[in-house]
Amino acid sequence: MCLGVPGKIVAITDPERQLGAVDIGGVRREVNLSCVLEEGERLQDLIGEWVVVHVGVALSRIDQEAALWLDALPE
Amino acid sequence: MRFLSEFRDPSLANAWVRRIEAHLSGLQAPLPIMEFCGGHTHAIFRYGLHQILPSAIEWVHGPGCPVCVLPRAAIDLACTLAQDPAVILASFGDAVRVPGSSGSLLSAKAQGGDVRIVYSPLDALEIARRHPEREVVFLAIGFETTQPATALTILQAEREGIANFSVLCRHVITEAAIRAVLADPDVRLAGVIAPGHVATVLGANAFAFIPKEYRIPTVVSGFEPLDLLQALCLLLGQLAAGRCALDNQYRRSVRPQGNLAAQKAIAQVFEPIGSAEWRGLGRLPASGVRIKERYGRFDAERRFGVTAQTVEEEPLPCSQVLCGKLKPKACPYFGTRCHPEQPLGALMVSSEGACAAWYRYQGE
């Protein structure tokens, strides 16, 4: 139920409602981006970012460096 | 697929299993490890981790599946609302098959109720926009992972002045359930795997109370096979070194303080209630939330003047399974009277329920 899936933000679809299109494994889905927008950042700047999506809301930006720990443990 | 398939690499997984085996040599078996989250339970069975790991690792499946802990009274209330011809009842797919006292939302739909499955509360709001002549009620369940979505939806409905949308709020609080399980003297654990997506919202630090107060090593973990194997390695590393601390394996998503914007949305819309009913666990203190008075017009219970009736929970062994005291297969109803097609208890309903996962992937 707390399933979160990684996806890439590919477009901003509704700036007023802070919605963008996220590509999740080839499927595009409209997602609320308000929780991953940093202060002073524009929605447009989010395009290309990878996020974890849960029930239509992006809950975190994927830290790509931390995602490289496939063969080693975090310090 | 990026950030997914890399974490399913079999040869890397085997390398991690070997490291786990090396850690085990100095530790006393068995090592009961509780994964609280149903997403972890599902991943362990789906990827066969329980089969490739040494038998010294004993998975204890925790109660972290919101569908499985949804009380019958909540289903009954949702079914009552669904019978109102003015109402469109929107629900996540997992919740529609959960049995209430006299049927599920799916059976309410079969009897003519307008029950619709949605992926997101935002989709339920979209139905309300398209059907201004109907009342759309969203059955909101889930832990803190899901609460931001419901909160943001209510805030959006307010901004747009949408008058025909409300929420039947049955969100619950993770910490309360973890405390209920850990306080049980019959539950003895060597380690806890903490839920990575609740931690994405609340922060890894939200689980520091487990090592601190209950003296059980804890690791926040992601949901792919390599994530869980790494998390297990970190846990065993703590045990081998005699440490008892909180580690965070899922750093690509989980920050120490979590997602502050998501926490803010939760705090803006919801407030804690004294206690809430959990299927299989009973009434737990400080375990639920309700919609604040300020957003009361989006609260389905206030809007329709309905309240949940207390119903006796069925005396099934589910609660024993839910706390990890009984293995699913040891239940007399498992696979006989209770199976995914016709679940007696909620643990057989959701694919994240321990029983459904055992049934589907042949636990042993």
Side-chain angles (χ1 to χ4, degrees), chain A residues 1-2 4 6 17 25 29 35 50 54-57 59-64 67 69-71 73-75, chain B residues 1-3 7 16 19 66 92 119-120 123 129 145-146 149 156 160 197 230 251-253 255 259 352:
Chain A
M1 166 84 214
C2 288
R17 293 179 182 146
R29 153 88 217 183
C35 291
W50 282 81
H54 170 72
V55 299
V57 174
L59 287 180
S60 68
R61 290 202 209 183
I62 294 177
D63 177 341
Q64 307 219 7
W69 291 329
L70 295 172
D71 197 24
L73 283 175
E75 288 296 311
Chain B
M1 188 183 158
R2 277 196 81 189
F3 303 116
F7 295 90
W16 283 103
R19 282 182 225 195
F92 292 132
Y119 160 73
S120 163
D123 297 343
R129 281 190 200 104
T145 317
T146 316
Q156 184 64 38
E160 292 180 40
H197 288 136
Q230 283 185 2
R251 292 189 207 183
R252 66 182 182 278
S253 179
R255 318 283 121 80
N259 186 319
E352 292 179 2

Side-chain angles (χ1 to χ4, degrees), chain B residues 150-167:
Chain B
T150 307
L152 290 170
T153 304
I154 289 176
L155 293 171
Q156 184 64 38
E158 189 188 48
R159 267 193 297 275
E160 292 180 40
I162 295 176
N164 62 327
F165 176 76
S166 60
V167 168

Side-chain angles (χ1 to χ4, degrees), chain B residues 25 45 58 65 68 137 141 143 172 181-182 212 222 231 240 263 270 332 340 354:
Chain B
S25 59
F45 285 113
E58 201 173 85
C65 160
C68 304
V137 180
I141 64 165
F143 291 98
V172 283
V181 171
L182 297 185
K212 202 172 162 201
Q263 291 168 29
F270 299 118

Side-chain angles (χ1 to χ4, degrees), chain A residues 38-63:
Chain A
E38 304 279 337
E39 226 179 279
E41 200 177 29
R42 296 174 316 140
L43 273 169
Q44 285 295 332
D45 300 337
L46 289 175
I47 294 174
E49 286 282 336
W50 282 81
V51 288
V52 171
V53 177
H54 170 72
V55 299
V57 174
L59 287 180
S60 68
R61 290 202 209 183
I62 294 177
D63 177 341

